[in-house]
Amino acid sequence: MSITEISAQSLSDLILEGKVGADKAIMIVDVRDEDYYGGHIKSAINMPSDTFSYSVSSLIEKTKDKQLVIFHCMMSQQRGPRCASIFASAIQSSSSSTPSISVLTKGYRGFEYHATLKGLVSHVIDKD
């Protein structure tokens, strides 16, 4: 199974079009650990990378009706791609339907930068 990349622009478009969320066809999985706090992409679920392999089966269940699952960490250089690969391997060995899998290019940091430049922060990012 191939894992593709998705740009900040493409993801923000999907969010603004209302295509991302728990009851939508697209899910965002934020695998940051303690760096999750302070802000995250709207409707993303947090599944910390340090415990991801233990919770991957619950993610398979949550994504059984999804068309696309997007992973990211702070910069999407290590944790995000690694968790996307773990998920891809686990879902291939399950009997669940297989959603497409992407990793957010430049991670949360790049997404937040893009949202700031475009004036979209309040529309696509939850600050907490």
Side-chain angles (χ1 to χ4, degrees):
M1 161 171 283
S2 68
I3 298 171
T4 61
E5 289 189 353
I6 187 168
S7 69
Q9 177 67 55
S10 295
L11 179 54
S12 60
D13 289 346
L14 291 170
I15 293 168
L16 294 172
E17 292 165 8
K19 296 181 178 176
V20 178
D23 60 342
K24 307 291 184 186
I26 301 170
M27 177 181 277
I28 303 168
V29 181
D30 185 332
V31 298
R32 292 179 295 158
D33 302 300
E34 37 310 313
D35 51 339
Y36 173 79
Y37 301 101
H40 58 273
I41 299 172
K42 285 196 179 204
S43 74
I45 62 167
N46 182 233
M47 297 188 75
S49 65
D50 59 356
T51 58
F52 186 81
S53 55
Y54 301 112
S55 56
V56 72
S57 58
S58 69
L59 183 59
I60 290 172
E61 183 61 30
K62 290 177 186 175
T63 59
K64 64 182 178 185
D65 298 323
K66 302 295 181 193
Q67 294 174 3
L68 174 62
V69 180
I70 301 166
F71 288 83
H72 78 88
C73 57
M74 185 57 83
M75 293 184 286
S76 290
Q77 292 180 348
Q78 294 181 1
R79 294 174 293 176
R82 185 180 72 241
C83 291
S85 293
I86 291 168
F87 177 71
S89 295
I91 205 160
Q92 278 186 319
S93 60
S94 76
S95 59
S96 292
S97 60
T98 307
S100 296
I101 302 170
S102 290
V103 173
L104 176 61
T105 306
K106 298 182 183 176
Y108 178 77
R109 184 171 288 160
F111 186 83
E112 184 179 39
Y113 179 76
H114 166 79
T116 301
L117 285 179
K118 299 290 184 177
L120 299 172
V121 171
S122 64
H123 301 287
V124 297
I125 292 179
D126 283 331
K127 294 282 187 179
D128 52 15

